[in-house]
Amino acid sequence: MKPGQEELRAGLADRRIRRSIEPIISPKELENEIPLSEASVETVARGRMGIEDILNGKNKRKIAIIGPCSIHNVDEAMEYASRLKQLADDVKDAFLLAIRLYWEKPRTITGWPGLIHDPDLNDSGNIEKGLRLARQLARDVAEIGVYAATEFLQTYTPQYLADFVSWAAIGARTSESQ
């Protein structure tokens, strides 16, 4: 290689990419920080069994997954969950209700990517904070007896949240999330 060519070559690659690695909390560490409670274990298990029985025709009720398009405010989500719990109790003979806890935005390319990826709504990308908020919300929802439903888009998010979810879809509805 000619003198100076190494520096020229180094300037060709990744000119607009900052090369850095910022590790986030592991799923196990977050589980230890925000563990399943006895109440949440019971809720999730009842929800999973109930949904399975309905899907297998063993229970004639209908499943209704209801709630906001995506969660951006955990306090408002808890208020919604509290109201949903009252409704779920009122209609339990005809419906199994689950709150829609969508923490990721499946079709957002240039907009807000969801609570997990931008919890402060400011493009900061504080994923660790988003995972903590999502897990705490899932635990709080389970502790009041509300079943949670979500759509998992990224391969890593189920490792952090699946133990609180009674029903999940695997999202892949865009060319970016196949």
Side-chain angles (χ1 to χ4, degrees), residues 155-169:
T155 56
Y156 63 88
T157 52
Q159 299 170 61
Y160 290 93
L161 300 163
D163 51 342
F164 285 108
V165 175
S166 293
W167 179 88

Side-chain angles (χ1 to χ4, degrees), residues 51-62:
I51 291 169
E52 184 176 341
D53 286 349
I54 293 167
L55 294 175
N56 288 328
K58 295 178 184 177
N59 186 312
K60 297 301 177 197
R61 295 184 298 165
K62 304 290 184 204

Side-chain angles (χ1 to χ4, degrees), residues 96-118:
L96 181 149
L97 301 184
I99 189 170
R100 182 180 156 130
L101 292 181
Y102 281 33
W103 302 293
E104 302 174 271
K105 295 289 286 177
R107 289 171 296 282
T108 301
I109 296 170
T110 59
W112 183 63
L115 180 72
I116 289 175
H117 301 99
D118 189 16

Side-chain angles (χ1 to χ4, degrees), residues 81-91 146:
S82 296
R83 292 178 183 196
L84 182 60
K85 174 62 174 152
Q86 293 171 0
L87 177 62
D89 290 344
D90 291 344
V91 301
V146 175

Side-chain angles (χ1 to χ4, degrees), residues 114-177:
L115 180 72
I116 289 175
H117 301 99
D118 189 16
D120 297 314
L121 301 165
N122 64 3
D123 295 324
S124 63
N126 191 343
I127 294 172
E128 191 165 315
K129 179 179 180 181
L131 288 167
R132 276 191 174 91
L133 287 170
R135 187 164 176 87
Q136 186 63 57
L137 174 61
R139 178 182 165 148
D140 293 346
V141 165
E143 285 184 346
I144 64 169
V146 175
Y147 309 134
T150 196
E151 178 180 24
F152 288 119
L153 299 178
Q154 303 298 330
T155 56
Y156 63 88
T157 52
Q159 299 170 61
Y160 290 93
L161 300 163
D163 51 342
F164 285 108
V165 175
S166 293
W167 179 88
I170 299 171
R173 294 181 294 186
T174 68
S175 61
E176 289 82 16
S177 65

